[in-house]
Amino acid sequence: MVRDRNQPNSTHRVLVSGNYCHDVLIKDGVVLAETLGGAASFISNVFDGLSVPYNLVSKVGFDFAYSVPRDPIVVPNCKTTLFHAHFDSGVDGDGRQDRVLKRVSSCDPIKPSDLPESRFDFGMAVGVGGEVTVETMEKLLEICNTVFVDIQALIRAFDGVDGTVKHVALKESGFFHLLPRIGFLKASAEEALFMEVEEVRKLCCVVVTNGRRGCRVYWRDGEVEVGPFPTNQVDPTGAGDSFLGGFVAGLVNGLTVPDAALLGNLFGSLTVGQIGLPKFDIRLLQRAREEVQRRKMQCGNCYERKDDKFRFVNAAGQEQFHASLGVAKQTTKCLAHEPQWDLPSSPSKPTEQVVLCQYTTQPKSLTGSVYEEAIKTVDVESKP
């Protein structure tokens, strides 16, 4: 079981299940950054920033290169799951259609026995490399009152030759029969094409993120669109993970579903503005926590029944909540951390040596590069 340095074992609020990864970001064949990756790292980043109590079960290999707040299970005879994300600056789009993701190596899957026997209010299945099995999902559903699932944990398949990430239909994934026990299923607009939303919404709540357009929440009796927070997109990696972290953090703090989705949109927008795992300005985090508590008090009596677990309909004042979160974002210095290159299209392309110096997550120990392909690196003595 993961050793938790910051939270006491008696706190059983949220259980996150998903492996840490090594991510290598490559643009036009040039390595721009090597960073800590995996949905678990982005979600933990949001939870730590918003002071959400949680436990995490994650596996890594003997070569794991980063220091993290919650230590993973180290598998001595395995390498850490490694992804290469290839971008092409010559292709216009929203940063996803032109991204080619390859799994270079994979750690062991998370077993049911790796999960704790304690009960949790919320559980999260956020595998990225095939590490969440059907059996593990069943165990998660047994010990958690409400489970949130990222569809990428269910539908990803990997090419047997070069590890390119592909998708299978949700009905063919082996997880479809578990949907009636799942609370929320999150998918990007591209991933949503691999399921019938109208069918799945009758089985569980569906949240579809759509980048700069925000997100839409579907449930059996209705749907609601939740507005975005404009940002300058730099790297889409982890945006959906940060969204899910913010979304769950909002629900943990008693927000309605639309308000929680707004909080998710905020953290998704902050993530795409930086390379790899984002750094959140401490003043923004404080303002966000204050606005969440203010909104919670404002909506304290908005539930129709006392036994309602979640409220899906917008409560009065959401526009102001949206505006307040937007002001919190704009009035902090977090945007000053944004690098000056853009994926996939940029009007100008400054030197990438600045990106490497300022925005590469620093590993605890790295005697050699974690990427294994013959990829060009940036020559800091010459212009790109």
Side-chain angles (χ1 to χ4, degrees), residues 150-164:
D150 193 323
I151 197 173
Q152 67 184 355
L154 312 183
I155 66 171
R156 277 188 172 181
F158 307 92
D159 186 272
V161 176
D162 65 359
T164 299

Side-chain angles (χ1 to χ4, degrees), residues 346-365:
S346 175
S348 62
K349 185 179 177 183
T351 58
E352 288 156 326
Q353 66 192 68
V354 176
V355 174
L356 284 172
C357 293
Q358 294 185 359
Y359 303 106
T360 300
T361 303
Q362 295 300 319
K364 61 182 180 182
S365 62

Side-chain angles (χ1 to χ4, degrees), residues 8-318:
N9 292 332
S10 59
T11 300
H12 303 306
R13 196 69 173 124
V14 185
L15 175 62
V16 182
S17 178
N19 286 351
Y20 288 125
C21 302
H22 291 157
D23 281 354
V24 180
L25 308 181
I26 305 161
K27 184 180 181 184
D28 299 329
V30 174
V31 174
L32 295 179
E34 298 180 35
T35 73
L36 173 65
S41 66
F42 287 90
I43 290 169
S44 297
N45 195 32
V46 174
F47 282 179
D48 289 334
L50 294 177
S51 302
V52 174
Y54 69 100
N55 287 36
L56 187 143
V57 177
S58 182
K59 286 185 173 180
V60 298
F62 63 87
D63 60 340
F64 187 56
Y66 299 95
S67 295
V68 289
R70 285 159 174 76
D71 292 339
I73 300 169
V74 179
V75 183
N77 60 343
C78 279
K79 286 189 174 183
T80 301
T81 300
L82 169 62
F83 282 99
H84 289 176
H86 296 264
F87 299 89
D88 182 359
S89 62
V91 181
D92 291 328
D94 66 2
R96 290 201 175 273
Q97 290 87 344
D98 65 303
R99 182 180 70 167
V100 176
L101 191 63
K102 297 183 178 182
R103 188 185 68 176
V104 180
S105 61
S106 60
C107 194
D108 279 356
I110 297 172
K111 301 176 183 178
S113 58
D114 295 322
L115 301 181
E117 294 300 327
S118 307
R119 288 204 59 82
F120 293 82
D121 294 324
F122 302 96
M124 301 181 69
V126 291
V128 294
E131 68 267 29
V132 177
T133 66
V134 172
E135 293 76 19
T136 300
M137 183 75 72
E138 290 176 336
K139 175 67 177 293
L140 198 66
L141 291 165
E142 290 175 4
I143 64 176
C144 301
N145 296 333
T146 302
V147 174
F148 300 78
V149 179
D150 193 323
I151 197 173
Q152 67 184 355
L154 312 183
I155 66 171
R156 277 188 172 181
F158 307 92
D159 186 272
V161 176
D162 65 359
T164 299
V165 175
K166 302 179 180 179
H167 296 100
V168 299
L170 182 58
K171 283 190 173 181
E172 300 172 2
S173 67
F175 291 89
F176 191 84
H177 68 286
L178 297 177
L179 292 183
R181 300 170 60 189
I182 291 172
F184 293 82
L185 180 67
K186 174 261 170 189
S188 68
E190 292 79 21
E191 292 166 336
L193 299 176
F194 293 88
M195 66 173 168
E196 296 291 339
V197 173
E198 291 303 316
E199 179 181 6
V200 175
R201 69 190 293 184
K202 298 175 183 178
L203 304 175
C204 65
C205 177
V206 178
V207 183
V208 178
T209 59
N210 199 12
R212 65 194 66 180
R213 299 179 182 85
C215 68
R216 184 174 289 272
V217 182
Y218 302 85
W219 63 98
R220 178 181 292 273
D221 301 320
E223 61 189 73
V224 62
E225 186 172 2
V226 181
F229 292 86
T231 195
N232 175 37
Q233 178 168 284
V234 173
D235 175 16
T237 306
D241 306 322
S242 292
F243 165 86
L244 188 56
F247 179 64
V248 174
L251 295 178
V252 168
N253 279 282
L255 295 183
T256 65
V257 171
D259 286 346
L262 262 181
L263 191 63
N265 283 347
L266 173 66
F267 281 94
S269 74
L270 292 169
T271 298
V272 300
Q274 301 182 46
I275 298 176
L277 194 69
K279 296 179 180 179
F280 301 131
D281 188 287
I282 191 170
R283 289 164 293 182
L284 180 143
L285 293 171
Q286 180 61 34
R287 285 286 302 274
R289 288 192 293 264
E290 292 172 355
E291 293 299 335
V292 166
Q293 291 306 310
R294 186 176 295 114
R295 181 61 172 163
K296 177 182 177 181
M297 293 180 65
Q298 181 184 24
C299 298
N301 298 317
C302 68
Y303 288 84
E304 294 178 354
R305 303 189 312 270
K306 289 185 178 181
D307 61 345
D308 281 343
K309 182 179 294 187
F310 304 108
R311 175 152 175 105
F312 288 88
V313 179
N314 277 329
Q318 192 194 51

